[in-house]
Amino acid sequence: MRPIALVVVLAVACGGHRRSAPPAAECARIAQHVVDLKLGKLSRLPGSMLKSIDGGLPAFRAAIVQSCSDDGWSTAAISCVAAAKSADDTKACDSSFTPEQGTHLRAVYDSFVQPLNLAVERWMAGVRSAVHQLCACTDAACRTAAQQDYDRQTAEARASTNSDLQHALASFDADARCSGSATGSGSGGG
């Protein structure tokens, strides 16, 4: 009997058993907290861009619950995420996850924000097109119409407090001044 007991002790000591999953209620609570933190960060984006992720919220929350449960998040990881006050604070929790858990969580988040990234890319392409049209104008009527289109395309983003979006707008505004173009008289950001 002694050899069997030694095998059992060694198997347990060497990780021979899987860590039990955190309670389902705990995973659900932490998933909602993560969703709230991510939405808090994303809320600084224009509503038209945020609409692109509305339908994905339940799946995002469910994927986090599943990751917490199936991947067996540690008590340290759950405590760290629970203590986070912002989405940026959760970065300090990276070391609490195994590399596999971290990879899985990044994939879950990337899948959730992919529609948002596409919406931002579409917006940027539209604004670039408006800048191109604005700078291609050779008369005042064209310039006025193009400026109105540019202003319409950028209006919602101007109300945003997202610093990345504000930086992009500043760059577009500089381009919309059309330096070196035939007209070169645009105000950009009107």
Side-chain angles (χ1 to χ4, degrees):
M1 259 217 207
R2 255 183 125 103
I4 293 174
L6 181 60
V7 170
V8 171
V9 169
L10 285 175
V12 170
C14 295
H17 69 81
R18 187 176 186 270
R19 180 194 181 288
S20 62
E26 189 172 21
C27 287
R29 179 184 57 80
I30 207 69
Q32 185 60 51
H33 183 61
V34 169
V35 168
D36 292 344
L37 293 176
K38 296 298 183 186
L39 286 178
K41 182 174 185 172
L42 296 175
S43 69
R44 296 181 297 238
L45 290 171
S48 62
M49 292 178 191
L50 289 175
K51 285 180 187 174
S52 67
I53 60 170
D54 280 351
L57 286 172
F60 180 53
R61 186 179 303 106
I64 295 169
V65 169
Q66 184 174 4
S67 174
C68 172
S69 177
D70 292 357
D71 296 347
W73 289 12
S74 69
T75 303
I78 291 172
S79 296
C80 184
V81 172
K85 301 292 184 213
S86 71
D88 291 337
D89 288 353
T90 62
K91 292 174 186 167
C93 302
D94 287 355
S95 63
S96 300
F97 293 99
T98 67
E100 294 81 15
Q101 290 169 333
T103 298
H104 186 219
L105 281 172
R106 280 187 293 284
V108 165
Y109 183 69
D110 289 348
S111 176
F112 169 64
V113 296
Q114 183 181 16
L116 176 62
N117 291 339
L118 293 173
V120 170
E121 288 173 16
R122 280 191 302 273
W123 172 78
M124 291 181 77
V127 174
R128 275 190 210 100
S129 177
V131 168
H132 178 72
Q133 180 63 36
L134 189 62
C135 294
C137 289
T138 58
D139 62 69
C142 175
R143 181 80 182 168
T144 298
Q147 184 67 51
Q148 289 173 346
D149 183 45
Y150 177 79
D151 292 345
R152 180 186 54 75
Q153 296 244 11
T154 60
E156 190 179 20
R158 289 191 190 287
S160 169
T161 59
N162 180 280
S163 60
D164 292 333
L165 209 52
Q166 292 305 313
H167 180 73
L169 279 170
S171 179
F172 285 134
D173 287 347
D175 291 347
R177 289 187 187 88
C178 307
S179 58
S181 74
T183 59
S185 61
S187 62

